Amino acid sequence: MHNMPQPHDHQHCIDDAMARARELCLRRQVKFTRIREQVLACVWANHQPVGAYTILEEIAKESDRRPAPPTVYRALDFLLDNGLVHRIASLNAFVGCKDPSHHHQGHFLICRQCRNVIELDADIINSAISTAATQYGFVVETPCVEVVGCCAGCRELSDNE
Amino acid sequence: MHNMPQPHDHQHCIDDAMARARELCLRRQVKFTRIREQVLACVWANHQPVGAYTILEEIAKESDRRPAPPTVYRALDFLLDNGLVHRIASLNAFVGCKDPSHHHQGHFLICRQCRNVIELDADIINSAISTAATQYGFVVETPCVEVVGCCAGCRELSDNE
DNA sequence: AATAAAATGTTATAATATTGCATTAGCGTG
DNA sequence: CACGCTAATGCAATATTATAACATTTTATT
Ligand SMILES: [Zn+2]
Ligand SMILES: [Zn+2]
Ligand SMILES: [Zn+2]
Ligand SMILES: [Zn+2]
């Protein structure tokens, strides 16, 4: 298995994410219900974007009851609203957000090969977009940047062939 | 009606686009068939992204025969392959490309209000993305930049309220 | 004309997402 | 505790976007 962005203790990613989510929901006085927790756990199973219906299947497997699509989508909406996950428009899929405490859109590097996603929020990209947009009198509200390419790990593997 | 990016002679946009397409297909020795022409004309009806099924409806209206979805999607695939249209992933919709002669991905400014799309291909954005990606050892292949915001025209209108 | 390749037609279905309404769970008030 | 309110979930149906599989037609080549 080499589907991690860089080798790392992913259980730590999961634990962190779930802890942050619990804390954040407490602080905001919103409810981190069972289904929301399950969906978030699914999304954090790895660093690859996961589709709504895959989440549905996963939950069906692990809990012997199959939630209907609206249930999953509502949980996803909640998580999106609270910045706990991001939606990757070009993939119709969702990834966990590594920093849900402050609202941001994020930029995503998607490896074509291992499908892992690296989330950034690079000022340099936001500035460049604003600068270019300004030349057209356009005011940026929500930039969506989803970059397909090849990650460090996968290029290393290719090189060693 | 104020759904044009800036006031302009849009018939000129259409005529230009269709002429470019014809010429380009001739040069590349690929066929600019009736259905492909109809679909491209639909896409160029205005500067707003248009969905595949909307295109289908439009063609059904104007020609009394309703193409099936695969017909429209195949025409769109052809147009995409030849750079004559772009797909806006975040909207599941398509816009005409203003410069199909050289291959490029393009950046899109989408007005939240009038839905018009401005296409750019700004070096400054591509550079910023590459720079940011490089810091993660990530090599960019296909950047996808779709920015929602507010265009000059719509802000003017808002200001005058 | 015979053949092959490309394009289109046709039917069915997959994959993603939402609407509308019923039911349940949680919570504060009296 | 009963009541009423709201948020959350369950559930059935359906909308929207996209593709698969195979038949037929058109076009180009020999
Ligand atoms: Zn991890
Ligand atoms: Zn990779
Ligand atoms: Zn125009
Ligand atoms: Zn506008």
Side-chain angles (χ1 to χ4, degrees):
Chain A
M1 277 292 282
H2 52 274
N3 55 359
M4 295 297 154
Q6 298 288 48
H8 71 288
D9 176 6
H10 184 61
Q11 189 58 49
H12 188 259
C13 293
I14 297 175
D15 295 343
D16 258 23
M18 300 309 285
R20 269 197 308 272
R22 259 184 293 275
E23 182 203 347
L24 181 145
C25 289
L26 255 179
R27 191 146 32 84
R28 293 189 187 159
Q29 312 213 46
V30 294
K31 281 166 224 162
F32 195 46
T33 60
R34 171 126 185 73
I35 184 76
R36 290 168 180 175
E37 192 176 338
Q38 283 178 300
V39 169
L40 187 62
C42 257
V43 164
W44 271 103
N46 54 50
H47 289 274
Q48 301 166 1
V50 56
Y53 280 78
T54 303
I55 293 172
L56 197 154
E57 292 303 324
E58 289 302 316
I59 292 178
K61 270 187 216 159
E62 80 190 27
S63 54
D64 266 12
R65 33 186 292 288
R66 164 173 312 256
T71 302
V72 172
Y73 278 101
R74 279 188 292 229
L76 284 168
D77 284 343
F78 171 87
L79 297 171
L80 285 167
D81 286 346
N82 285 280
L84 292 163
V85 306
H86 292 289
R87 180 167 192 277
I88 309 293
S90 57
L91 299 175
N92 297 324
F94 304 83
V95 288
C97 172
K98 62 177 185 180
D99 181 13
S101 58
H102 80 287
H103 191 267
H104 65 284
Q105 168 58 31
H107 311 132
F108 303 95
L109 307 179
I110 306 160
C111 180
R112 177 182 35 75
Q113 209 149 347
C114 67
R115 315 286 302 166
N116 278 303
V117 169
I118 300 170
E119 178 186 348
L120 333 169
D121 191 24
D123 286 341
I124 184 177
I125 294 176
N126 288 324
S127 308
I129 291 174
S130 287
T131 300
T134 300
Q135 296 184 351
Y136 291 82
F138 190 96
V139 171
V140 173
E141 291 168 4
T142 314
C144 165
V145 177
E146 301 174 359
V147 181
V148 172
C150 193
C151 77
C154 287
R155 280 185 307 114
E156 243 175 69
L157 287 174
S158 308
D159 288 353
N160 295 351
E161 260 162 24
Chain B
M1 278 291 280
H2 51 273
N3 55 358
M4 294 298 154
Q6 298 288 49
H8 71 288
D9 176 7
H10 186 60
Q11 189 58 49
H12 188 258
C13 294
I14 297 175
D15 295 343
D16 259 24
M18 300 309 286
R20 269 198 308 273
R22 259 185 293 275
E23 182 202 346
L24 182 145
C25 288
L26 255 180
R27 191 146 32 85
R28 293 190 187 158
Q29 311 213 46
V30 294
K31 281 167 226 162
F32 195 46
T33 61
R34 172 125 185 75
I35 185 76
R36 290 167 180 175
E37 191 176 338
Q38 283 179 299
V39 169
L40 187 61
C42 257
V43 165
W44 271 103
N46 53 50
H47 290 274
Q48 301 166 1
V50 57
Y53 281 77
T54 304
I55 292 171
L56 196 153
E57 292 303 323
E58 289 303 314
I59 291 178
K61 270 187 216 160
E62 78 189 27
S63 53
D64 267 13
R65 34 186 292 288
R66 163 172 312 255
T71 303
V72 172
Y73 277 101
R74 280 188 290 227
L76 283 168
D77 284 344
F78 171 87
L79 297 172
L80 285 167
D81 287 346
N82 285 281
L84 292 162
V85 306
H86 292 289
R87 181 168 190 276
I88 309 292
S90 57
L91 300 174
N92 297 323
F94 304 84
V95 288
C97 173
K98 60 176 186 179
D99 181 13
S101 58
H102 80 288
H103 191 266
H104 64 284
Q105 168 60 30
H107 311 131
F108 304 95
L109 308 179
I110 306 161
C111 180
R112 175 181 37 74
Q113 208 148 349
C114 67
R115 316 287 302 166
N116 278 302
V117 169
I118 301 170
E119 178 186 349
L120 334 169
D121 191 25
D123 286 341
I124 184 178
I125 295 176
N126 288 325
S127 307
I129 289 174
S130 287
T131 301
T134 299
Q135 296 184 350
Y136 291 82
F138 189 96
V139 172
V140 173
E141 290 168 4
T142 314
C144 165
V145 177
E146 300 174 359
V147 181
V148 172
C150 193
C151 76
C154 287
R155 281 186 306 115
E156 242 175 70
L157 287 174
S158 308
D159 288 352
N160 295 350
E161 262 162 21

